[in-house]
Amino acid sequence: MILLYSEGKSVFTFALPALLIRAWTCRNFSVNNNDAKHFLSRKVKSYVSPTSTYTTETKFKNKKQSYWKSVVGLEIHAQITSTSKLFSQAGTEFGVPVNANVSFFDAAIPGTLPMLNRRCVEAGVLTALALSCRVNPVSFFDRKHYFYSDLPAGYQITQHRVPLAQEGVLEFHVFTPGSHHKPYSKKSCIKQLQLEQDSGKSLHDEEACRSLVDLNRAGIPLMELVFEPDLEDGEEAAALVKELMLILQRLGTCSCKMEEGALRVDANVSVHHEGEPLGVRTEVKNIGSVRAVGHAIQYEIHRQVKVLEAGGVIINETRAWDADSKQTVPMRDKEEKQDYRYMPEPNLPPLRVLLNDQPAVPNTYRDHINVQCLRRKLPELPSETRAKLTNKYGISPESAAILVNENVLLQHFYDIMEEKKSRDPKLSTNILIMELLTILNKKKLSLEASPFPSHTLGEIVDLLQSEKINLVTARKILQEIISGNSMSPSEVVEKYEWTQITNPSEIEKVCTAVIEQNPKLVEQFCSGKTKVFNSLVGKAAKITENRANMATVVQVLTAKLRKIQNP
Amino acid sequence: MLSLSVRQISRKLQDGVIVPSDVCTACLYQAEKLKKLNIFVRLTKEVAEHQAKESDVRYTNGNVRSLLDGIPVAVKDNYCTRNIETTCSSRMLESFKPPYNATVVQKLQDAGAVLLGKCNMDEFAMGSGTVDSIHGPTKNIWQSGEKYTLLRNVGERATSVEQVQGCNSTHGSKMVYQELHHLSSHSNKEGSSSPSEEGDWFIAGGSSGGSAVAVASGAVFAALGSDTGGSTRNPAAYCGVVGLKPSYGLLSRHGLIPLVNSMDVPGILTRTVDDAATLLNILAGHDLLDSTTVQDSFIPLDLSQDIDISRIRIGIPKEYNCPGMSDEVMETWSGVADILERAGAEVVQVSMPHTPSSIACYSVLNQCEVASNMARYDGIEFGLRTAENRSTEELYASTRSQGFNETVRGRILAGNYFLLQRNYPHYFLQALKVRRLIAQDFTHAWSSGIDVLLTPTTLTDAPRYSQFISRDNREQCASQDYCTQPANMAGCPAVTLPIKLSKQGLPLSLQLMGQSYREDVLLAVAKWIETAVDFPRLQLET
């Protein structure tokens, strides 16, 4: 039996002892410069090898590459969203002062013991279910030993023998405009999902010849997801990571903020000739964003091909992605192959979860996590949302993907459709993913900082749908509001008299005027230069200050020109 | 007064015959007087005096917390005590002041006990003699050269203890003593042992030797040891006190600096079985901070009713008769078996065939966990840090080679070897399988209707220091732990209690082992034997 402690019900509050803080401030960890390179720190100082000078661009053009097959497998560490650590009651907030979130256990003070955080197990099970994993009724914790200054106990508690869950699958769409001809669906199998604790952070001050240790991260709960090497390139990997992020964010089990280290992607990359055994793989670490996932892997594939084609060999090593120089560089701290001397963690009983609703013996399993109960709590997953958008609203799969990728857009969409059922879903989607994103981009604003509430956007959809305004006016309204006008879209239209001209007789007049005022263009058109038609349409727009219903203008103008051509 | 049991002194406190501060002062005096025995690593005089004064007030106001309120106790130096050095007798932790109290220490404090000091031990509890300590070895009180009187309970009809001790109180215990022997190094009536010489004395046993001598000598009324392979029972046996190793999971290990997590249990050292039960009742129970403690609520033991010994089935495991066992120990063992049988108990021989494999198995498991548990001592967060600054690896190496003694380093080396990926299946995994077989020996015994197993605790009476150090730590542990460590492998409770004196005038003790969480049966039988054998109590001459 294992008793899981529940968050919030803090039975003991550990205050960080002054002793500990003083220990770290007055016993700054002094090492010389040569030593610093042995440290694994999250920010890896780039080590530029003289041979690795080519860039990603040139590699893309390497024609011989098609001759090779590349294999990519991902290992992803996702920080579980929780208020306290995996085995202690210390907090997990990001950005707090150094060593502020450290319990005695996190600092490996002798005599302290781990207590498993119930919330973390639940998050792990929920994630496992969302990824169609088989949840193990009993899993175990193990100690993985290695000496490192930011690993206070000298071992990490992880799940080595039997992880929390195994054998899942993640399906995702690879949709990268430009490089692949059309979007396609891909699956990657998940070997296992395990719970483990994070290590602390070493900071190296090379000038002062010392290293400092911050244990705020030590003991932070992580889910490690190990994927099978099912992927072929960086784009697939980036697409997988993006889809995983959507799922985890939807579940609320991980913030997926890569910039905070809440999601870390390591890629195992190898290349081989078709029909031959897999090549020697390298591990690429320190990938800081979804885009970097694609770039780093793509770079590494090309690097390996280049080395092999030059008659070289690939060595099994860990490399770090350097975002500045856009290349992978060897991480010199992991040169030696370590024997982690795994051992069962004797202070944590086996972790049992209840797979079926009904326990065989009532009350025996009162503390156990009920998997069926969690299954019922699973929210709608991104793939289900996309299917719903295409099936229920008739939105294209590409648009559905964009809406689901941006939770704010999706929420706007739902709000707009909810407010008035008669609104055209496709028109609404276009306003969101074309017009809204464009204007925010121009102003360099994030979606979260958007000044447009859903009802404003909905009103613009209404104005468009009722043909009261055209698209150009819609853009002008957005511009007006983003510049600080607090009026509603209808009020803006009214104030500036931007109502669309739809009256056919009025448009007749406009077209007649355009033809009269531009005899040269008309002449060119009649002599077969039909391209100038657009210029004539533009003149009509200009005369009406973009208020004319352009479809009608095109219609009327075409008729009139035809008459001139064939009197 | 200092040779009384917890029950007896508690009665005196409740009756107002004495106050906690006086008891504390007497104990501190006794501890100072016995300095050369090297019982304590540190006397916590100020803490003790403060706690005793607080207890004085509670007795005055009538809000006494427990039977232990105001009673001086000591704890082994591997229990974390807030702001009080906890060294584990290692250079590594020489200046380590834990920022928290171990759960059992906190429970003692909450019960009103007075913490007199921290007791000497083998470094990180690795040893069976309390000789491998940076603080130097602890000496046994028996035949130490200290003058003492032996008192024996002769029944309720004789004169009261108060009269014997020249105390006027008419209240109090009806337990009665009379002078039995007058043994000291200079007037040894048995004459079989030469007086203790400088550098050659009887060892206390270990690794909780300090705690055992503290209880035996009257410096405290009870003490905490720890028991991984016999570390509480071995010194208890050599020092003639009761040593209880409770079931694994009954007492919290939070704050006990670990040796082997899967076998460590806090041990209880007292002068009587009743006192062991008193402490157990105070210390047992689930602890959120130790996930391996059982959640079932603990039902306090009540030993006030005499058991019907004729309903008890006692197993004598033949494999515990091993090479190296002295004739005296054998006689003691069969003698007690005879007493039980005569009293109507069913005494049967049983076989626990995997016992001889236990030591080898234990040594593999012990060293693997040691290698792992000791990994945190790297000089970064706490403990010793050498001045080495060429590199982190050099700092680790120099800190760990200076901080640990040879025994500790040897076990770390061996443990890491056993845990290497290529060796793991052949050593660690194999040892786990053997451990299961050993545990099954016990379950077979219980399922055949055995209530308790009776065995020797140690193979002989306390060895002399010179004789003990003639073999290295590893060899010593292999023979010293022979009878005790199977109980740790199985997790079942075991208690050692003194039976009689050897020809050298040293205690001879036997061990009882019971079913897990059946401390009630175990201690009831122990109490019956205790009464039957009437082991003399040692009282130092003032």
Side-chain angles (χ1 to χ4, degrees), chain B residues 335-413:
Chain B
V336 170
D338 288 346
I339 294 172
L340 286 161
E341 199 161 30
R342 276 201 300 274
E346 191 181 346
V347 178
V348 289
Q349 195 184 65
V350 294
S351 175
M352 303 186 74
H354 298 96
T355 307
S357 316
S358 199
I359 281 286
C361 171
Y362 172 74
S363 99
V364 171
L365 295 176
N366 178 304
Q367 288 163 7
C368 289
E369 284 205 38
V370 163
S372 177
N373 288 335
M374 296 295 140
R376 69 188 56 210
Y377 302 102
D378 56 11
I380 307 293
E381 280 83 15
F382 49 82
L384 177 74
R385 180 192 292 185
T386 58
E388 178 60 59
N389 68 354
R390 274 174 296 169
S391 76
T392 315
E393 280 76 11
E394 293 286 334
L395 170 68
Y396 289 164
S398 101
T399 299
R400 291 165 65 81
S401 52
Q402 289 182 37
F404 294 139
N405 72 10
E406 209 174 310
T407 299
V408 178
R409 292 203 307 274
R411 289 200 197 182
I412 291 172
L413 182 68

Side-chain angles (χ1 to χ4, degrees), chain A residues 95-110:
Chain A
V96 297
V98 165
N99 289 320
N101 283 342
V102 186
S103 73
F104 300 149
F105 174 79
D106 303 325
I109 299 296

Side-chain angles (χ1 to χ4, degrees), chain A residues 1-5 11-12 14 87 105 111-116 345-349, chain B residues 79 100 102-104 107 247-256 258 260-266 283 285-295:
Chain A
M1 286 284 279
I2 182 160
L3 185 80
L4 306 163
Y5 83 87
V11 177
F12 280 75
F14 287 110
F87 298 121
F105 174 79
T112 54
L113 299 168
M115 295 178 279
L116 185 55
E345 167 55 67
N347 295 320
L348 289 167
Chain B
Y79 286 97
Y100 72 103
T103 298
V104 286
K107 284 189 171 187
S247 305
Y248 185 84
L250 193 60
L251 268 62
S252 171
R253 294 181 293 114
H254 173 251
L256 166 60
V260 184
N261 301 280
S262 66
M263 297 182 211
D264 290 345
V265 289
L283 300 174
H286 177 65
D287 181 10
L288 256 188
L289 301 174
D290 177 1
S291 307
T292 64
T293 49
V294 286
Q295 283 169 261

Side-chain angles (χ1 to χ4, degrees), chain A residues 46 100 124 137 165 170 184 227 314 318 356 366 495 511 521 528 560:
Chain A
S46 63
L170 177 56
Y184 61 99
F227 287 86
I314 300 300
T318 304
N356 304 311
R366 61 190 184 274
K495 181 184 172 194
C511 290
L521 286 174
K560 282 192 178 290

Side-chain angles (χ1 to χ4, degrees), chain A residues 146-322:
Chain A
Y146 59 93
F147 278 108
Y148 210 74
S149 56
D150 56 24
L151 187 74
Y155 54 82
Q156 174 200 30
I157 303 179
T158 178
Q159 294 195 298
H160 175 67
R161 284 165 299 163
V162 183
L164 182 65
Q166 284 165 292
E167 294 167 10
V169 65
L170 177 56
E171 196 173 352
F172 54 97
H173 284 272
V174 187
F175 169 54
T176 317
S179 63
H180 284 287
H181 291 298
K182 56 176 173 184
Y184 61 99
S185 173
K186 178 94 188 175
K187 274 181 188 171
S188 183
C189 292
I190 295 158
K191 195 171 163 236
Q192 63 187 58
L193 185 158
Q194 70 202 38
L195 300 175
E196 60 185 36
Q197 48 174 189
D198 205 349
S199 62
K201 203 162 81 177
S202 298
L203 305 159
H204 308 295
D205 182 348
E206 293 194 19
E207 272 175 36
C209 289
R210 61 182 190 177
S211 294
L212 300 165
V213 178
D214 177 7
L215 294 180
N216 280 346
R217 286 203 67 92
I220 289 273
L222 302 176
M223 295 181 268
E224 181 177 350
L225 292 143
V226 183
F227 287 86
E228 297 288 358
D230 294 329
L231 309 180
E232 281 172 30
D233 56 32
E235 281 152 23
E236 291 187 355
L240 181 155
V241 171
K242 183 68 202 167
E243 182 70 8
L244 180 68
M245 288 167 82
L246 288 175
I247 294 171
L248 298 180
Q249 285 168 336
R250 186 63 63 85
L251 296 172
T253 56
C254 175
S255 75
C256 298
K257 289 178 182 164
M258 289 183 84
E259 67 279 12
E260 292 182 5
L263 191 88
R264 300 199 286 272
V265 179
D266 300 337
N268 289 306
V269 178
S270 70
V271 298
H272 66 284
H273 288 297
E274 192 157 8
E276 288 180 9
L278 295 185
V280 174
R281 64 178 198 198
T282 59
E283 190 179 6
V284 183
K285 286 180 173 284
N286 197 45
I287 304 177
S289 67
V290 178
R291 278 166 58 85
V293 170
H295 290 154
I297 292 169
Q298 223 51 31
Y299 173 87
E300 182 59 16
I301 290 169
H302 295 311
R303 187 193 67 84
Q304 291 189 8
V305 168
K306 179 113 176 175
V307 167
L308 291 171
E309 286 187 345
V313 286
I314 300 300
I315 49 164
N316 182 281
E317 63 176 347
T318 304
R319 301 175 68 87
W321 173 245
D322 182 343

